[in-house]
């Protein structure tokens, strides 16, 4: 991947694909981590006199749907940029066409323009060649700083890049690739993985690689009940991924000595049930597990941050239904153990938006972790060894 330092930007129209796919409710941006992570690239370019054109998708709209406008993101970006300099962000109400071309032709060196949601055009996702040409005509230089959407072969992540002479990696994308490739191919040992959340399906590819490469895989969240069922435990009404039970059984047969599973649970009849019970081993009929129990918390925390802890740890997915207070203890303790491991010198990585949210709700700050990946699906795909069109298109530049 070519360094930004290798190019002259003054007076150039620099098209930066960012991933501003953030949560927006009632016109206000929630967690803005993805926006903040693009600031180093944006500031680098504005200081060097580039005309910075930012483009992103937001959600999965079906054509132009104003509920998915990027206007609230432009506002938040303006606030972030404005708190650091006198710069302002302008917002274009489209992402291609004459009005956008006019806006760009009026830009001064160092100006920032955010285009409207790329997915207002279905051609973005189909990587349509005419749409790619329209986007490419807006750019002298193309930069991808959207690692978290680089698993998509879309017009703005792939097609247009092939039509622009200079295509480069932004600082955030580069940092993501550096951290994740170290973890994937050359982890610091002992390398431990903590996996939670609900769905096993989306994680199978990454888990296959991580089971092979890691020293321990610590399982929590609803995913754990499918593993426990495969081992012959009673799991009551707990969420089970029956479709992937065969895969789980195979994983247990091949890597059983590496896989850690909960030995006790916080169980209840339903998430709303206030009479919760701590159970060991089997979960009684009519009840479901919603969090890991105290004995499991103790074992997992020692594994993550004890004196024989980890050289490197990757955490993806909460340990229980952490949105409900009664079921948040496992996640809170894992988050705190991750922070302790970090202060003890381990390289710690967190992947997925829900894991960042869980970490923050647990009172652990972003600067108590070595790297928080902006990617959800992209991070898992990358770890599974899948092709990342948005990254490979930058190679050889
Ligand atoms: C994400 O949030 O994971 C990325 O922005 C990609 O979004 P998508 O799954 O809608 O393509």
């Amino acid at each position: 991947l070519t360094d930004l330092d290798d190019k002259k930007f003054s007076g150039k129209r620099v098209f930066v694909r960012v991933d501003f796919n953030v949560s927006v409710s009632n016109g206000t941006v929630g967690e803005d981590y993805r926006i903040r992570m693009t600031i180093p690239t944006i500031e680098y370019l504005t200081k060097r006199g580039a005309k910075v054109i930012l483009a992103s998708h937001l959600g999965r709209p079906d054509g132009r749907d104003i509920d998915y406008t990027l206007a609230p993101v432009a506002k938040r970006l303006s606030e972030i940029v404005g708190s650091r300099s006198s710069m302002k962000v302008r917002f274009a109400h489209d992402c291609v066409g004459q009005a956008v071309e006019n806006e760009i032709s009026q830009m001064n060196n160092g100006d920032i323009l955010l285009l409207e949601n790329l997915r207002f055009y279905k051609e973005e996702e189909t990587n349509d060649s005419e749409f790619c040409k329209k986007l490419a005509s807006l750019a002298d230089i193309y930069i991808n700083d959207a690692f978290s959407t680089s698993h998509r072969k879309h017009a703005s992540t792939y097609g247009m890049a092939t039509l622009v002479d200079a295509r480069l990696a932004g600082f955030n994308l580069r940092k993501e690739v550096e951290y994740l490739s170290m973890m994937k191919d050359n982890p610091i040992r002992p390398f431990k993985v903590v996996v939670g959340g609900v769905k096993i399906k989306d994680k199978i590819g990454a888990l296959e690689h991580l089971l092979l490469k890691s020293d321990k895989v610590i399982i929590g969240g609803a995913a754990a009940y499918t593993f426990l069922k495969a081992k012959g435990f009673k799991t009551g009404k707990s969420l089970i991924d029956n479709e992937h039970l065969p895969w789980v059984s195979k994983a247990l047969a091949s890597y059983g000595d590496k896989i850690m599973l909960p030995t006790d649970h916080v169980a209840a009849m339903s998430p709303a049930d206030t009479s919760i019970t701590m159970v060991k081993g089997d979960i009684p009929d009519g009840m479901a597990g919603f969090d890991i129990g105290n004995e499991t918390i103790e074992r997992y925390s020692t594994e993550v941050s004890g004196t024989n802890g980890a050289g490197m740890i990757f955490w993806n997915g909460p340990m229980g239904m952490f949105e409900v207070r009664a079921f948040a203890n496992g996640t809170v303790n894992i988050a705190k153990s991750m922070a302790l491991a970090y202060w003890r010198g381990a390289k710690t990585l967190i992947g997925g938006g829900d894991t960042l949210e869980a970490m923050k709700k647990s009172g652990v700050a972003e600067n108590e972790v070595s790297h928080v990946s902006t990617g959800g699906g992209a991070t898992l795909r990358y770890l599974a060894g899948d092709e990342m069109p948005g990254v490979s298109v930058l190679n050889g530049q």
Side-chain angles (χ1 to χ4, degrees), residues 19 21 34 57 59-60 119 125 148-149 151-152 154 374-378:
D19 187 356
N21 185 25
R34 280 183 170 171
H57 70 286
R60 294 173 178 172
R119 289 192 186 167
E125 287 172 81
S148 45
T149 196
H151 55 315
R152 305 284 182 223
H154 292 175
T374 52

Side-chain angles (χ1 to χ4, degrees), residues 318 320-325 327-328 357 361:
M321 196 184 256
F322 78 100
E323 309 87 319
V324 179
R325 226 180 174 175
F327 309 126
E357 193 192 330
K361 279 205 172 139

Side-chain angles (χ1 to χ4, degrees), residues 101 142 179 181 191 228:
E101 284 165 30
Y142 172 87
Y179 264 103
S181 65
F191 172 38
L228 288 171

Side-chain angles (χ1 to χ4, degrees), residues 20 52-56 58 64 66 68-78 88-95 99-100 103-104 107 111-118 120:
F20 289 167
V52 182
I53 303 159
L54 304 172
S56 175
L58 177 67
R64 179 175 285 272
I66 212 63
Y68 293 88
T69 176
L70 277 165
V73 172
K75 187 166 169 266
R76 175 61 62 88
L77 179 64
S78 281
K88 284 203 175 59
V89 177
R90 284 195 3 248
F91 181 59
H93 293 276
D94 209 337
C95 61
V100 175
E103 289 253 17
I104 293 175
M107 286 174 84
D111 280 355
I112 304 169
L113 178 71
L114 173 63
L115 305 182
E116 181 56 285
N117 195 343
L118 291 155
F120 280 1

Side-chain angles (χ1 to χ4, degrees), residues 95-387:
C95 61
V96 285
Q98 196 56 54
V100 175
E101 284 165 30
N102 292 346
E103 289 253 17
I104 293 175
S105 67
Q106 283 159 26
M107 286 174 84
N108 293 316
N109 292 1
D111 280 355
I112 304 169
L113 178 71
L114 173 63
L115 305 182
E116 181 56 285
N117 195 343
L118 291 155
R119 289 192 186 167
F120 280 1
Y121 292 84
K122 64 174 181 350
E123 293 89 338
E124 158 67 359
E125 287 172 81
T126 56
N127 193 26
D128 174 80
S129 60
E130 286 308 309
F131 188 67
C132 291
K133 274 188 211 153
K134 284 186 192 161
L135 288 174
S137 74
L138 307 177
D140 299 314
I141 295 174
Y142 172 87
I143 293 178
N144 186 359
D145 210 14
F147 173 81
S148 45
T149 196
S150 293
H151 55 315
R152 305 284 182 223
K153 198 170 188 171
H154 292 175
S156 66
T157 55
Y158 185 81
M160 75 167 288
T162 64
L163 305 174
V164 181
D165 288 341
R167 36 187 194 273
L168 311 169
F171 292 120
N172 187 47
L173 182 137
R174 176 179 294 275
K175 187 171 174 232
E176 293 264 24
V177 170
E178 273 167 14
Y179 264 103
L180 293 173
S181 65
M182 166 163 57
M183 197 170 83
K184 184 162 143 300
D185 304 319
N186 203 9
I188 304 165
R189 299 210 175 267
F191 172 38
K192 299 183 181 175
V193 176
V194 183
V195 179
V198 177
K199 287 189 203 147
I200 296 184
K201 181 172 170 264
D202 303 344
K203 300 183 184 174
I204 283 185
L207 268 174
E208 279 184 351
H209 184 87
L210 292 168
L211 280 164
L212 187 72
K213 288 278 175 168
S214 67
D215 298 296
K216 266 287 179 282
V217 175
I218 300 162
I219 311 230
Y225 303 113
T226 305
F227 278 80
L228 288 171
K229 182 163 185 188
K231 284 195 84 158
F233 283 95
K234 286 195 176 145
T235 51
K237 286 200 305 186
S238 308
L239 270 184
I240 302 294
D241 185 341
N242 282 310
E243 191 192 336
H244 296 98
L245 259 178
W247 180 85
V248 167
S249 300
K250 249 174 60 197
L252 281 165
S254 313
Y255 300 104
D257 52 336
K258 274 189 192 178
I259 298 174
M260 281 180 88
L261 293 172
T263 43
D264 62 340
H265 320 273
V266 183
M269 312 281 259
S270 73
D273 181 10
T274 46
S275 56
I276 55 165
T277 330
M278 283 279 186
V279 294
K280 259 189 116 147
D282 292 326
I283 296 177
D285 289 343
M287 292 196 134
F290 290 107
D291 194 12
I292 54 175
N294 290 338
E295 180 187 284
T296 306
I297 290 177
E298 194 64 41
R299 282 168 51 237
Y300 284 9
S301 300
T302 309
E303 197 64 40
V304 168
S305 60
T307 36
N308 293 326
M312 191 168 212
I313 318 168
F314 174 59
W315 177 27
N316 173 282
M319 292 291 100
M321 196 184 256
F322 78 100
E323 309 87 319
V324 179
R325 226 180 174 175
F327 309 126
N329 217 11
T331 303
V332 168
N333 277 283
I334 287 296
K336 292 198 165 141
S337 301
M338 288 287 290
L340 182 56
Y342 169 78
W343 291 115
R344 286 196 156 153
K347 280 250 182 278
T348 58
L349 284 97
I350 282 180
D354 53 347
T355 317
L356 174 62
E357 193 192 330
M359 183 189 96
K360 285 193 168 173
K361 279 205 172 139
S362 306
V364 172
E366 276 168 28
N367 64 2
E368 293 182 282
V369 55
S370 311
H371 179 66
V372 178
S373 177
T374 52
T379 303
L380 294 172
R381 295 268 196 101
Y382 185 85
L383 291 175
D386 290 355
E387 207 225 324

